[in-house]
Amino acid sequence: MSRRVVRQSKFRHVFGQAAKADQAYEDIRVSKVTWDSSFCAVNPKFLAIIVEAGGGGAFIVLPLAKTGRVDKNYPLVTGHTAPVLDIDWCPHNDNVIASASDDTTIMVWQIPDYTPMRNITEPILTLEGHSKRVGILSWHPTARNVLLSAGGDNVIIIWNVGTGEVLLSLDDIHPDVIHSVCWNSNGRLLATTCKDKTLRIIDPRKGQVVAERFAAHEGMRPMRAVFTRQGHIFTTGFTRMSQRELGLWDPVTQLDVWVLLRRLKEPTLAPPPGDAESLGVVCGDCMRRCRGYRCGGPRVVSRCGVCSSLHQSCLGNAWVLGRARSVKELQGIQSGTASGTGLVTPPVLGQNNFEEPVALQEMDTSNGVLLPFYDPDSSIVYLCGKGDSSIRYFEITEEPPFVHYLNTFSSKEPQRGMGFMPKRGLDVSKCEIARFYKLHERKCEPIIMTVPRKSDLFQDDLYPDTPGPEPALEADEWLSGQDAEPVLISLRDGYMPPKHRELRVTKRNILDVRPPPGPRRSQSASDAPLSQHTLETLLEEIKALREQVQAQEQRITSLENMLCELVDGTD
């Protein structure tokens, strides 16, 4: 009798549950703009939702505790002259949020801890650099005040919000509209998807594409891509027959040290081409970890050149691993000019730099774009489709088939957007591993993902140390080439959001900022310096207005005295 073996996973029984009706946010006019954005951003303090507004774009910011019906006159955050397309909270300051709009500008706002009495209309900073609408915003995960924006002009701009300066501008990489942008865990690389059906890995400080894959998904509908904690790329897209599918890719870029140089048909090690340093036969475990290696054929015992351990390796699929000493040498290996036979073209510096996908799964035939939300602590990815009424979630592991389906949360009403709470905003006492904020037509509903546990104690395996609110680098340090992993915090005692921290902007640098070179920057009249004549004219007008105000105050005082005399006379 065959016995079915169930895959062991602590997340196999994760289930989703909608919050009670009194914990939802009612009577919110969610935006109807046709843009593939989540329309919602959340952090441990606030919930922000893009809403309908006349005469421009706006979004509403609510404290998490302010549940129930929202007053129709509740103050909004307004200032854009066209619809807001994307919003994103700063990961290092829970009171700072950035908004991107169809009016080509990015605005950075400081949200007070108290409820304002009127609309917030004055941002602390306005960034102008795109010539078309701005639809994507993303803060750097480890560097303070570094913000990325992508617009309809096919340009990615990286800003220093602390000074209002443009740090980097990637103008000539994308030939068409950018669909998504994602930082890796330490902010060294970017993963972008574009309307030209190409998935790119970009080093923004060098301004170059280090790996790319054309038609990762063959359909014409938009793709999405996120980095996983293992350095893989998880993508969602469409097939040629308009079926939705997901993919997992393992790119090898020129940033990786190891380069596969030769496939051996004999048990002897041939010298690698050029002056590359030979490391010997690579074992199957190491190959699976970096290249999706599959074994077959006779096996021999050999010492792995990576982990220096004795393994059984497949003789028919053994590889020599080498370390190239320069990019020029890599180009020689790829073009075949280096010495040796049986060369395998390394996937660097080429047109199609991705191998076959680690995993590729077809899902359904719905039209909505799948928005992936990835949790690096649990390595679970949640897929939320616009117009869907369900959330599918998968666990990504190093065991075949690599992307494991866990479960589906289903509800009756379709979702118009989705917000994803950072790990530090979850309730660890209830074994909550994820919380979503589902946007309906007129309300926002929290959805809680929980791992069932009997114990009330803190679950160390569910809550490893997670990125906290403190940055690991300053903007100048990151720009100079430094990289650092996020500063981690423990959730054992829960997380208490810090008090209000003001975002300090160096105005002197803002006044001195110059537009970046190139024709794409939209000039404004405020960039021109004031002449001496104009300055004198303004001072004279201010003086005349001051005198007029003083005269009116004297007139009001005399009228009040006359009124008092009349009242006393009648008495």
Side-chain angles (χ1 to χ4, degrees), residues 106-141:
I106 303 110
M107 294 185 178
V108 182
W109 308 84
Q110 185 97 38
I111 306 299
D113 287 333
Y114 60 87
T115 302
M117 300 300 296
R118 55 179 60 90
N119 289 350
I120 301 176
T121 58
E122 293 296 329
I124 57 175
L125 187 62
T126 300
L127 304 173
E128 297 181 350
H130 291 277
S131 59
K132 294 185 179 180
R133 65 182 180 182
V134 186
I136 298 174
L137 291 176
S138 182
W139 292 88
H140 194 282

Side-chain angles (χ1 to χ4, degrees), residues 3 46 93 95 122 132 152 174 203 211 215 220 228 249 251 262 292 297 323 331 336 350 440 459 480 502 506 530 563:
R3 186 176 181 181
F46 298 106
N93 190 334
N95 293 82
E122 293 296 329
K132 294 185 179 180
H174 299 89
D203 186 335
M220 295 300 297
T228 69
W249 308 83
R262 179 186 297 274
R323 176 187 292 163
Q331 293 171 333
H440 299 254
Q459 306 295 316
S480 66
E502 184 178 355
T506 309
L530 294 176
L563 181 61

Side-chain angles (χ1 to χ4, degrees), residues 214-405:
F214 176 72
H217 299 281
E218 296 182 350
M220 295 300 297
R221 300 295 306 280
M223 281 193 301
R224 290 290 186 273
V226 293
F227 274 101
T228 69
R229 69 182 182 189
Q230 297 91 352
H232 297 169
I233 308 293
F234 181 88
T235 61
T236 61
F238 292 81
T239 66
R240 191 174 299 175
M241 303 301 294
S242 296
Q243 288 184 308
R244 294 195 296 192
E245 67 178 357
L246 58 87
L248 185 66
W249 308 83
D250 188 6
V252 179
T253 71
Q254 53 181 289
L255 294 177
D256 293 315
V257 175
W258 310 115
V259 181
L260 293 170
L261 300 177
R262 179 186 297 274
R263 182 174 181 175
L264 296 179
K265 295 299 183 181
E266 301 297 334
T268 58
L269 290 178
D275 295 327
E277 177 187 350
S278 175
L279 293 180
V281 176
V282 184
C283 69
D285 291 338
C286 294
M287 287 299 298
R288 273 191 295 272
R289 190 158 53 246
C290 67
R291 298 278 295 209
Y293 170 80
R294 292 178 176 84
C295 296
R299 309 181 67 82
V300 295
V301 176
S302 60
R303 186 175 297 277
C304 176
V306 176
C307 58
S308 300
S309 302
L310 290 175
H311 293 272
Q312 281 193 350
S313 59
C314 174
L315 187 59
N317 289 285
W319 297 74
V320 172
L321 195 68
R323 176 187 292 163
R325 297 180 178 177
S326 66
V327 174
K328 184 177 180 181
E329 186 175 87
L330 293 181
Q331 293 171 333
I333 294 170
Q334 182 187 10
S335 62
T337 58
S339 61
T341 58
L343 286 176
V344 176
T345 302
V348 292
L349 304 175
Q351 297 299 318
N352 298 322
N353 288 341
F354 287 83
E355 292 286 323
E356 291 296 319
V358 177
L360 193 65
Q361 299 180 16
E362 293 184 1
M363 297 182 62
D364 52 34
T365 56
S366 179
N367 293 325
V369 176
L370 286 172
L371 304 179
F373 297 93
Y374 179 70
D375 177 17
D377 294 338
S378 60
S379 197
I380 295 178
V381 62
Y382 303 85
L383 302 183
C384 309
K386 276 204 164 185
D388 292 359
S389 57
S390 61
I391 301 175
R392 299 179 179 91
Y393 38 106
F394 300 79
E395 184 180 2
I396 301 175
T397 69
E398 296 183 359
E399 304 172 358
F402 306 106
V403 180
H404 306 270
Y405 172 76

Side-chain angles (χ1 to χ4, degrees), residues 39-62:
F39 287 173
C40 180
V42 63
N43 68 16
K45 277 188 176 182
F46 298 106
L47 169 67
I49 302 172
I50 301 175
V51 296
E52 289 286 306
F59 60 96
I60 188 171
V61 177
L62 300 169

